[in-house]
Amino acid sequence: MATKELINQAMSLAIKKSLAKKGFTSPNPWVGAVLIPKGAKTIKETFLGLTQPPGSNHAEVEAIKKAGRLAKGATLVVTLEPCSHWGRTPPCCDAIISAGIKTVVIGISDPDKRVNGNGIKSLKEAGINVVVGQNSHQVTNCLKEYLFFKKFGRPFVTLKLGCSIDGKIATSTGQSKWITNELSRFDVQKLRFKTDAILVGKNTYLTDNPSLSARSKSGKILKEPFRIVLGAPLKEDKRFYFFSGDLNSLMKELKNRGVMMLLVEGGAKVAYSFYKANLIDRYIFYFAPIVLGQDGLPAFAGKGPTELKKALKLELVELKKLGNDVKIVMERPI
């Protein structure tokens, strides 16, 4: 078995690198695996594997393939419990066993009912030493949206809004381009890159004609998530999926489509409807150093609680300065 220090380094690497696949593996989780050959002393001697898009190799198989014959007698460090069932690909446990790996170090067990301890059991029955719980807190945070999806049976919803310091997302005449600066707008592209689907309301769609693509700084399209407009279509547009039912029905449909992460980008009526339905799990606000006043369009078009004790309580996750803008990320306790 590899040293504790090397195993810790390997798990940290697996966590960090797996995030590069977030938004590209759904409905599978973004998993990282690092294979440590027998006798390896440094992280440079290891082999990294990352889960590929659906139908392609999982992280464990990728690492084993890269290691080749060096997999025999090795230690495999993986963020999530290896699968033991057939899906679009063969069971990862079979590949681990066939490769002759001696020890498997796992961050957390997989709550998927098809796995959920069965992978660990399968490995142990094959005589492999299994250790569970390595860097479990970091792994849990890394896979937060996947774990939420499995626990609650709906996508993890993030609301993103760009607004003035007095909480307005547009002027009284509806002008909203551009409240936030270029740094904030590029940061939004990163959010789009890491999500499965993006949603806007019909008014935003008609007013802004958004592409909702993830783009590079040069404007190159890097990704086109599943794009949803809330409301009946007024014209044919094959780029978007138009949905006019209630939000709970939408959540069920997105779950069936394998959408684990939904980014809601407005406008005010849509933001309020998700808030009112208690369907926002993460709030991301980009505050610009401007004041739009009483006549500006508020971030949420609807009534809030009349008493402070009834207000939604959130946890601060991130506070970041982007030029003169400020990004604030808050999450609902789950």
Side-chain angles (χ1 to χ4, degrees):
M1 184 173 172
T3 64
K4 290 183 178 180
E5 181 180 356
L6 187 53
I7 288 173
N8 185 61
Q9 291 176 5
M11 185 61 83
S12 296
L13 179 65
I15 294 170
K16 180 180 178 181
K17 294 297 184 180
S18 68
L19 288 171
K21 294 297 181 180
K22 186 177 179 180
F24 291 87
T25 64
S26 298
N28 298 325
W30 46 98
V31 175
V34 174
L35 189 143
I36 306 173
K38 185 178 180 180
K41 302 297 182 182
T42 68
I43 198 70
K44 292 182 179 180
E45 300 173 78
T46 65
F47 299 90
L48 173 69
L50 302 173
T51 296
Q52 301 302 302
S56 302
N57 290 334
H58 292 183
E60 301 92 324
V61 175
E62 283 287 296
I64 291 169
K65 283 180 61 180
K66 290 180 180 179
R69 60 182 179 81
L70 293 178
K72 187 173 183 179
T75 296
L76 181 68
V77 178
V78 59
T79 55
L80 190 67
E81 178 184 2
C83 63
S84 56
H85 64 280
W86 278 86
R88 296 183 183 181
T89 57
C92 288
C93 285
D94 289 359
I96 293 170
I97 295 167
S98 297
I101 289 172
K102 187 176 181 180
T103 300
V104 177
V105 179
I106 300 168
I108 60 174
S109 59
D110 190 343
D112 189 311
K113 62 183 181 180
R114 298 168 299 177
V115 188
N116 198 20
N118 290 324
I120 294 170
K121 180 182 178 182
S122 177
L123 295 174
K124 286 183 175 180
E125 288 177 347
I128 295 175
N129 179 36
V130 180
V131 179
V132 182
Q134 180 71 39
N135 296 57
S136 60
H137 179 74
Q138 293 93 326
V139 173
T140 298
N141 189 58
C142 171
L143 292 168
K144 178 181 291 186
E145 294 89 345
Y146 168 74
L147 298 174
F148 179 96
F149 180 76
K150 288 299 178 183
K151 182 177 181 180
F152 296 102
R154 69 164 177 84
F156 185 98
V157 177
T158 297
L159 173 70
K160 183 278 301 179
L161 292 173
C163 54
S164 63
I165 60 171
D166 56 340
K168 310 297 182 180
I169 61 173
T171 66
S172 58
T173 60
Q175 289 184 334
S176 59
K177 290 186 176 181
W178 294 105
I179 287 179
T180 55
N181 64 25
E182 189 175 348
L183 290 174
S184 292
R185 296 197 296 275
F186 180 64
D187 198 72
V188 172
Q189 300 302 316
K190 296 178 184 177
L191 295 180
R192 292 177 175 180
F193 192 72
K194 297 289 186 182
T195 195
D196 297 322
I198 301 175
L199 181 145
V200 296
K202 184 170 63 176
N203 290 340
T204 298
Y205 167 76
L206 294 174
T207 303
D208 296 344
N209 188 31
S211 67
L212 304 183
S213 302
R215 297 175 180 268
S216 66
K217 286 186 176 180
S218 64
K220 179 182 178 182
I221 295 178
L222 302 176
K223 180 184 178 181
E224 291 187 330
F226 182 56
R227 292 163 289 181
I228 308 157
V229 175
L230 203 59
L234 298 178
K235 59 180 180 179
E236 185 178 0
D237 191 337
K238 294 182 179 180
R239 299 175 303 163
F240 297 90
Y241 174 69
F242 292 84
F243 186 88
S244 56
D246 66 88
L247 293 184
N248 286 323
S249 295
L250 174 63
M251 293 296 103
K252 291 178 182 178
E253 181 165 338
L254 293 181
K255 176 199 172 185
N256 293 335
R257 287 176 176 266
V259 172
M260 293 193 289
M261 297 169 287
L262 173 65
L263 177 62
V264 177
E265 293 203 11
K269 290 182 179 178
V270 170
Y272 181 75
S273 65
F274 272 85
Y275 157 77
K276 194 68 175 176
N278 199 29
L279 287 174
I280 303 174
D281 307 300
R282 179 182 291 133
Y283 291 75
I284 300 181
F285 286 85
Y286 295 88
F287 286 101
I290 59 173
V291 177
L292 295 181
Q294 181 177 341
D295 292 334
L297 183 65
F300 296 86
K303 293 182 179 180
T306 56
E307 299 178 62
L308 285 176
K309 65 181 181 180
K310 295 181 180 179
L312 176 65
K313 304 298 190 298
L314 302 172
E315 296 178 350
L316 180 64
V317 175
E318 181 184 356
L319 182 62
K320 184 178 182 180
K321 194 171 183 291
L322 295 167
N324 286 329
D325 290 355
V326 176
K327 175 186 178 182
I328 298 180
V329 181
M330 295 159 285
E331 292 183 354
R332 180 170 59 90
I334 299 170

